[in-house]
Amino acid sequence: MSKNFHKFYLKITAVVIGSFGPIFFFGTMSETLEPARLTLDLLSWPLDGGTTYDSPDTRFLSALTGGFLFGWGVTIWFLSKSAYDKAPEEIRKSVLFGILAWFFLDSAGSILSGNPSNAFINVFVLLLAIGPLWFPYKE
């Protein structure tokens, strides 16, 4: 992989992560919560309509989750633009290990909370988010 391709792929990673932010942000309001509810229903397979957003606590957690995911995506986007040229390997490793940390904690929590299907879905998100970033670039 080239340095430029890694830099480009960091933007894909940023979009993959950050795109979940607005979905969960809109889960905070009853008028716009359906995409977030549907996303959680899908992640806790089977898609059965059992997931609700009735609790204010769920909506609050959705606001927090949306903010963190969107912020993480924006951070990766800007790292790809401003810092990557100065420290490409350090940025690649930071993003890689951040995604791996998310994967293991989120998957373990999903399994322990009775939602093992999300751990399987996480594998696909992991592969999409990491892509070629798994390997150091070669000049």
Side-chain angles (χ1 to χ4, degrees), residues 99-123:
I99 293 169
L100 289 171
W102 156 79
F103 174 77
F104 288 114
L105 196 63
D106 187 281
S107 296
S110 295
I111 292 166
L112 292 171
S113 70
N115 294 287
S117 60
N118 187 55
F120 291 109
I121 294 169
N122 283 351
V123 172

Side-chain angles (χ1 to χ4, degrees), residues 21-98:
I23 292 169
F24 287 112
F25 165 76
F26 285 113
T28 62
M29 301 167 281
S30 58
E31 303 81 20
T32 57
L33 62 75
E34 186 55 26
R37 190 210 61 76
L38 183 60
T39 299
L40 280 184
D41 198 13
L42 178 67
L43 294 175
S44 62
W45 193 262
L47 193 60
D48 58 7
T51 300
T52 69
Y53 258 68
D54 294 336
S55 170
D57 293 337
T58 302
R59 292 185 192 171
F60 176 55
L61 187 57
S62 195
L64 295 174
T65 302
F68 283 126
L69 290 170
F70 190 70
W72 189 17
V74 168
T75 299
I76 293 171
W77 184 277
F78 277 92
L79 286 172
S80 77
K81 291 183 60 122
S82 57
Y84 184 82
D85 290 332
K86 295 174 186 159
E89 191 58 12
E90 290 79 2
I91 298 298
R92 181 191 73 83
K93 285 180 181 177
S94 295
V95 172
L96 175 68
F97 286 109

